[in-house]
Amino acid sequence: EYSAASFEEFARKWDDPDAANMRFATVKAGDVTATGSAVAPKVTVTASDGTVLVQGTDYTVSYVDNATGAVVPAAQLTEPGSYTAVCTGTRASVNRRGAAPGETDEYTGTYYNTRSAAFSVKAPAQPAKVTGLKLAAGKGKLKAKWSKAARALSYQVAHRAKGAKKWSKAEAQKASCTVKKLKAGKRYQVKVRAKGVSGWGAWSAVKTSKKVK
């Protein structure tokens, strides 16, 4: 906040680019990568005199989807795309203070107006291909283990009896899965793929088990 002893002086300061004034501030917003949850860019607002303004005190931030022009609540900033961070001064006011006896009136002003910067929410890379698949045949079941895949949130395990065409699929939250109700004496084929924020990764190499007991 800055003050002046007269309205004329106040008006001059109000238009002074050297003042810590939102009108002349610059805004930077860094790109972010989608995670499946709400993400927010790092926003920096710097006044022309070098003062770094404080979010929540000097300004608030809202987000606009550049493709649709719609305002996007921060909690819904999850989808990849192009956006704009709009920074609005929180104390947009001009005040006239009554003077004490023998003193002049005083006019005060604070940061105001809006400034904005574009940023992107980038789509994350696909999860890595599953490797290290190992199978252990048991009584009427098959235990599958594999190495954790980068950027994986969960996995899909597909299995079929050797020679069959149709795959049966099951979901797994960790890097292992037990497939039950299998026929004794048969060998089974298994493949696994990882699921991430951006979708499915590539299937692993197909592994063939020993005969189920």
Side-chain angles (χ1 to χ4, degrees):
E1 182 177 304
Y2 55 90
S3 63
S6 68
F7 186 78
E8 288 74 15
E9 184 182 353
F10 167 80
R12 180 181 62 76
K13 286 190 174 183
W14 192 256
D15 289 323
D16 184 357
D18 292 328
N21 191 328
M22 189 70 172
R23 293 182 65 191
F24 305 100
T26 57
V27 177
K28 293 182 179 180
D31 292 342
V32 291
T33 300
T35 63
S37 301
V39 293
K42 180 181 179 180
V43 176
T44 303
V45 180
T46 307
S48 59
D49 67 352
T51 302
V52 177
L53 306 187
V54 180
Q55 184 176 341
T57 300
D58 299 318
Y59 65 92
T60 59
V61 181
S62 59
Y63 304 102
V64 175
D65 186 326
N66 292 340
T68 64
V71 175
V72 181
Q76 297 177 22
L77 197 62
T78 59
E79 296 298 321
S82 176
Y83 299 87
T84 294
V86 180
C87 301
T88 303
T90 57
R91 297 178 293 176
S93 63
V94 178
N95 303 311
R96 178 181 180 278
R97 295 178 180 173
E103 297 180 358
T104 59
D105 288 347
E106 183 180 73
Y107 295 84
T108 62
T110 55
Y111 307 125
Y112 84 121
N113 216 325
T114 62
R115 286 291 179 267
S116 61
F119 69 96
S120 295
V121 176
K122 298 180 178 180
Q126 286 189 321
K129 182 177 179 178
V130 170
T131 60
L133 177 60
K134 296 180 180 180
L135 305 177
K139 188 174 181 180
K141 63 183 179 180
L142 195 65
K143 180 70 178 285
K145 289 184 177 181
W146 55 90
S147 301
K148 292 181 179 180
R151 299 175 296 281
L153 299 177
S154 63
Y155 300 89
Q156 188 175 63
V157 182
H159 76 278
R160 67 182 180 186
K162 186 177 180 181
K165 293 183 178 180
K166 186 177 179 180
W167 292 91
S168 296
K169 297 182 177 68
E171 303 298 314
Q173 299 303 311
K174 56 184 181 180
S176 64
C177 179
T178 300
V179 183
K180 300 179 179 180
K181 298 182 179 179
L182 302 181
K183 293 184 179 180
K186 285 187 173 290
R187 300 176 71 190
Y188 287 84
Q189 293 180 313
V190 177
K191 60 181 180 179
V192 182
R193 62 177 178 174
K195 185 177 183 180
V197 174
S198 60
W200 293 104
W203 285 105
S204 69
V206 176
K207 191 87 171 181
T208 303
S209 73
K210 294 181 179 181
K211 289 182 179 180
V212 171
K213 299 175 184 178

